[in-house]
Short mmCIF file of all heavy atoms in Angstrom, two decimals:
data_model
loop_
_atom_site.label_atom_id
_atom_site.label_comp_id
_atom_site.label_asym_id
_atom_site.label_seq_id
_atom_site.Cartn_x
_atom_site.Cartn_y
_atom_site.Cartn_z
N GLY E 183 28.55 25.46 -6.87
CA GLY E 183 27.27 26.12 -7.09
C GLY E 183 27.00 26.18 -8.58
O GLY E 183 26.95 25.17 -9.26
N GLU E 184 26.91 27.39 -9.11
CA GLU E 184 26.65 27.56 -10.55
C GLU E 184 27.85 28.13 -11.29
O GLU E 184 27.73 28.57 -12.44
CB GLU E 184 25.41 28.45 -10.73
CG GLU E 184 24.16 27.83 -10.13
CD GLU E 184 22.94 28.73 -10.23
OE1 GLU E 184 22.79 29.42 -11.25
OE2 GLU E 184 22.14 28.74 -9.26
N LYS E 185 29.03 28.11 -10.65
CA LYS E 185 30.23 28.67 -11.26
C LYS E 185 31.29 27.59 -11.46
O LYS E 185 31.42 26.67 -10.66
CB LYS E 185 30.81 29.79 -10.38
CG LYS E 185 29.88 30.98 -10.22
CD LYS E 185 30.52 32.04 -9.33
CE LYS E 185 29.60 33.25 -9.17
NZ LYS E 185 30.22 34.28 -8.30
N ARG E 186 32.05 27.73 -12.54
CA ARG E 186 33.18 26.84 -12.77
C ARG E 186 34.36 27.27 -11.90
O ARG E 186 34.68 28.46 -11.81
CB ARG E 186 33.60 26.88 -14.24
CG ARG E 186 32.58 26.27 -15.20
CD ARG E 186 33.16 26.17 -16.61
NE ARG E 186 32.21 25.52 -17.53
CZ ARG E 186 32.52 25.08 -18.75
NH1 ARG E 186 33.78 25.23 -19.19
NH2 ARG E 186 31.61 24.52 -19.51
N VAL E 187 35.01 26.29 -11.28
CA VAL E 187 36.21 26.53 -10.48
C VAL E 187 37.37 25.82 -11.17
O VAL E 187 37.32 24.61 -11.39
CB VAL E 187 36.05 26.00 -9.04
CG1 VAL E 187 37.35 26.14 -8.27
CG2 VAL E 187 34.92 26.73 -8.33
N ALA E 188 38.39 26.57 -11.52
CA ALA E 188 39.51 26.02 -12.28
C ALA E 188 40.36 25.09 -11.41
O ALA E 188 40.62 25.36 -10.23
CB ALA E 188 40.38 27.15 -12.83
N LEU E 189 40.81 23.98 -12.02
CA LEU E 189 41.73 23.05 -11.39
C LEU E 189 43.07 23.11 -12.13
O LEU E 189 43.19 23.76 -13.17
CB LEU E 189 41.16 21.63 -11.41
CG LEU E 189 39.78 21.45 -10.78
CD1 LEU E 189 39.36 19.99 -10.83
CD2 LEU E 189 39.75 21.96 -9.36
N LYS E 190 44.06 22.40 -11.63
CA LYS E 190 45.42 22.48 -12.19
C LYS E 190 45.69 21.47 -13.30
O LYS E 190 46.80 21.44 -13.84
CB LYS E 190 46.43 22.29 -11.06
CG LYS E 190 46.35 23.34 -9.96
CD LYS E 190 47.27 23.01 -8.80
CE LYS E 190 47.10 24.01 -7.66
NZ LYS E 190 47.93 23.63 -6.48
N ASN E 191 44.71 20.65 -13.63
CA ASN E 191 44.91 19.63 -14.65
C ASN E 191 44.93 20.25 -16.05
O ASN E 191 44.35 21.32 -16.28
CB ASN E 191 43.79 18.59 -14.57
CG ASN E 191 43.65 18.02 -13.18
OD1 ASN E 191 44.63 17.62 -12.56
ND2 ASN E 191 42.42 18.00 -12.66
N VAL E 192 45.55 19.55 -16.98
CA VAL E 192 45.58 19.95 -18.39
C VAL E 192 44.92 18.86 -19.21
O VAL E 192 45.32 17.69 -19.13
CB VAL E 192 47.03 20.19 -18.89
CG1 VAL E 192 47.04 20.52 -20.38
CG2 VAL E 192 47.69 21.30 -18.08
N VAL E 193 43.89 19.24 -19.99
CA VAL E 193 43.14 18.28 -20.80
C VAL E 193 43.17 18.77 -22.25
O VAL E 193 42.36 19.61 -22.65
CB VAL E 193 41.69 18.13 -20.30
CG1 VAL E 193 40.95 17.08 -21.13
CG2 VAL E 193 41.67 17.75 -18.82
N PRO E 194 44.11 18.27 -23.06
CA PRO E 194 44.28 18.83 -24.41
C PRO E 194 43.11 18.56 -25.35
O PRO E 194 42.88 19.34 -26.27
CB PRO E 194 45.56 18.15 -24.91
CG PRO E 194 45.70 16.92 -24.08
CD PRO E 194 45.13 17.26 -22.73
N ASN E 195 42.39 17.49 -25.15
CA ASN E 195 41.28 17.14 -26.04
C ASN E 195 39.92 17.42 -25.39
O ASN E 195 38.93 16.77 -25.69
CB ASN E 195 41.37 15.66 -26.43
CG ASN E 195 41.32 14.73 -25.21
OD1 ASN E 195 41.53 15.18 -24.08
ND2 ASN E 195 41.05 13.46 -25.45
N GLU E 196 39.87 18.39 -24.52
CA GLU E 196 38.67 18.65 -23.73
C GLU E 196 37.47 19.05 -24.58
O GLU E 196 37.59 19.86 -25.50
CB GLU E 196 38.98 19.76 -22.72
CG GLU E 196 37.85 20.08 -21.77
CD GLU E 196 38.24 21.19 -20.80
OE1 GLU E 196 38.69 22.25 -21.27
OE2 GLU E 196 38.11 20.99 -19.59
N THR E 197 36.32 18.49 -24.27
CA THR E 197 35.07 18.88 -24.92
C THR E 197 34.52 20.13 -24.23
O THR E 197 34.97 20.50 -23.14
CB THR E 197 34.03 17.76 -24.84
OG1 THR E 197 33.59 17.63 -23.47
CG2 THR E 197 34.60 16.43 -25.32
N PRO E 198 33.51 20.77 -24.82
CA PRO E 198 32.95 21.97 -24.18
C PRO E 198 32.42 21.75 -22.77
O PRO E 198 32.42 22.68 -21.96
CB PRO E 198 31.82 22.37 -25.14
CG PRO E 198 32.27 21.87 -26.47
CD PRO E 198 32.98 20.58 -26.19
N VAL E 199 31.99 20.52 -22.45
CA VAL E 199 31.48 20.27 -21.10
C VAL E 199 32.56 19.76 -20.15
O VAL E 199 32.29 19.52 -18.98
CB VAL E 199 30.28 19.29 -21.11
CG1 VAL E 199 29.12 19.87 -21.88
CG2 VAL E 199 30.69 17.92 -21.64
N GLY E 200 33.80 19.58 -20.66
CA GLY E 200 34.89 19.20 -19.77
C GLY E 200 35.35 17.77 -19.84
O GLY E 200 36.23 17.37 -19.07
N ALA E 201 34.76 16.97 -20.72
CA ALA E 201 35.19 15.58 -20.84
C ALA E 201 36.51 15.51 -21.60
O ALA E 201 36.88 16.43 -22.33
CB ALA E 201 34.12 14.77 -21.58
N GLY E 202 37.24 14.40 -21.43
CA GLY E 202 38.52 14.20 -22.09
C GLY E 202 39.47 13.44 -21.20
O GLY E 202 39.09 12.93 -20.15
N GLN E 203 40.73 13.37 -21.64
CA GLN E 203 41.76 12.69 -20.86
C GLN E 203 42.89 13.66 -20.58
O GLN E 203 43.43 14.29 -21.50
CB GLN E 203 42.30 11.46 -21.62
CG GLN E 203 43.32 10.67 -20.84
CD GLN E 203 43.82 9.44 -21.59
OE1 GLN E 203 43.56 9.30 -22.79
NE2 GLN E 203 44.51 8.55 -20.91
N ALA E 204 43.25 13.79 -19.34
CA ALA E 204 44.27 14.77 -18.94
C ALA E 204 45.67 14.32 -19.34
O ALA E 204 46.02 13.14 -19.22
CB ALA E 204 44.20 15.00 -17.44
N SER E 205 46.48 15.27 -19.79
CA SER E 205 47.90 15.01 -20.05
C SER E 205 48.74 15.38 -18.82
O SER E 205 49.83 14.84 -18.64
CB SER E 205 48.37 15.81 -21.27
OG SER E 205 48.15 17.20 -21.07
N GLU E 206 48.23 16.30 -18.00
CA GLU E 206 48.87 16.63 -16.73
C GLU E 206 47.83 16.44 -15.63
O GLU E 206 46.81 17.11 -15.60
CB GLU E 206 49.38 18.08 -16.74
CG GLU E 206 50.49 18.32 -17.75
CD GLU E 206 51.04 19.73 -17.69
OE1 GLU E 206 50.99 20.34 -16.58
OE2 GLU E 206 51.49 20.24 -18.73
N LYS E 207 48.13 15.49 -14.72
CA LYS E 207 47.16 15.08 -13.70
C LYS E 207 47.64 15.56 -12.33
O LYS E 207 48.62 15.06 -11.80
CB LYS E 207 46.99 13.56 -13.71
CG LYS E 207 46.50 13.02 -15.06
CD LYS E 207 46.37 11.50 -15.04
CE LYS E 207 45.82 11.00 -16.37
NZ LYS E 207 45.65 9.52 -16.37
N VAL E 208 46.93 16.54 -11.78
CA VAL E 208 47.31 17.13 -10.50
C VAL E 208 46.19 16.97 -9.47
O VAL E 208 46.40 16.41 -8.39
CB VAL E 208 47.66 18.62 -10.67
CG1 VAL E 208 48.07 19.23 -9.32
CG2 VAL E 208 48.75 18.81 -11.71
N ASP E 209 45.01 17.47 -9.82
CA ASP E 209 43.87 17.47 -8.88
C ASP E 209 42.93 16.32 -9.21
O ASP E 209 42.31 16.30 -10.29
CB ASP E 209 43.11 18.80 -8.99
CG ASP E 209 43.94 19.98 -8.51
OD1 ASP E 209 44.71 19.80 -7.54
OD2 ASP E 209 43.81 21.07 -9.09
N TYR E 210 42.81 15.38 -8.28
CA TYR E 210 41.92 14.23 -8.48
C TYR E 210 40.54 14.59 -7.95
O TYR E 210 40.36 14.89 -6.77
CB TYR E 210 42.48 13.01 -7.75
CG TYR E 210 41.80 11.70 -8.08
CD1 TYR E 210 41.78 11.21 -9.38
CD2 TYR E 210 41.21 10.93 -7.08
CE1 TYR E 210 41.19 9.99 -9.67
CE2 TYR E 210 40.61 9.71 -7.36
CZ TYR E 210 40.61 9.24 -8.67
OH TYR E 210 40.02 8.03 -8.95
N SER E 211 39.55 14.56 -8.83
CA SER E 211 38.23 15.11 -8.48
C SER E 211 37.60 14.42 -7.28
O SER E 211 36.99 15.07 -6.43
CB SER E 211 37.30 15.03 -9.69
OG SER E 211 37.09 13.68 -10.08
N HIS E 212 37.73 13.10 -7.19
CA HIS E 212 37.11 12.38 -6.07
C HIS E 212 37.62 12.92 -4.74
O HIS E 212 36.85 13.08 -3.78
CB HIS E 212 37.39 10.89 -6.18
CG HIS E 212 37.05 10.13 -4.94
ND1 HIS E 212 35.78 9.67 -4.67
CD2 HIS E 212 37.81 9.77 -3.86
CE1 HIS E 212 35.77 9.06 -3.49
NE2 HIS E 212 36.98 9.11 -2.98
N ASP E 213 38.92 13.18 -4.66
CA ASP E 213 39.49 13.67 -3.40
C ASP E 213 38.95 15.06 -3.06
O ASP E 213 38.64 15.35 -1.89
CB ASP E 213 41.02 13.71 -3.50
CG ASP E 213 41.64 12.33 -3.62
OD1 ASP E 213 40.92 11.33 -3.43
OD2 ASP E 213 42.85 12.25 -3.91
N LEU E 214 38.85 15.92 -4.06
CA LEU E 214 38.33 17.27 -3.81
C LEU E 214 36.87 17.21 -3.37
O LEU E 214 36.45 17.94 -2.45
CB LEU E 214 38.45 18.11 -5.08
CG LEU E 214 39.86 18.32 -5.64
CD1 LEU E 214 39.80 19.14 -6.92
CD2 LEU E 214 40.76 19.00 -4.61
#
Side-chain angles (χ1 to χ4, degrees):
E184 298 176 37
K185 297 180 180 180
R186 292 188 177 193
V187 175
L189 304 182
K190 299 174 185 176
N191 307 311
V192 176
V193 182
N195 59 343
E196 184 180 52
T197 70
V199 298
Q203 183 179 12
S205 58
E206 295 183 29
K207 300 179 178 181
V208 180
D209 294 324
Y210 191 60
S211 62
H212 168 84
D213 293 350
L214 300 178

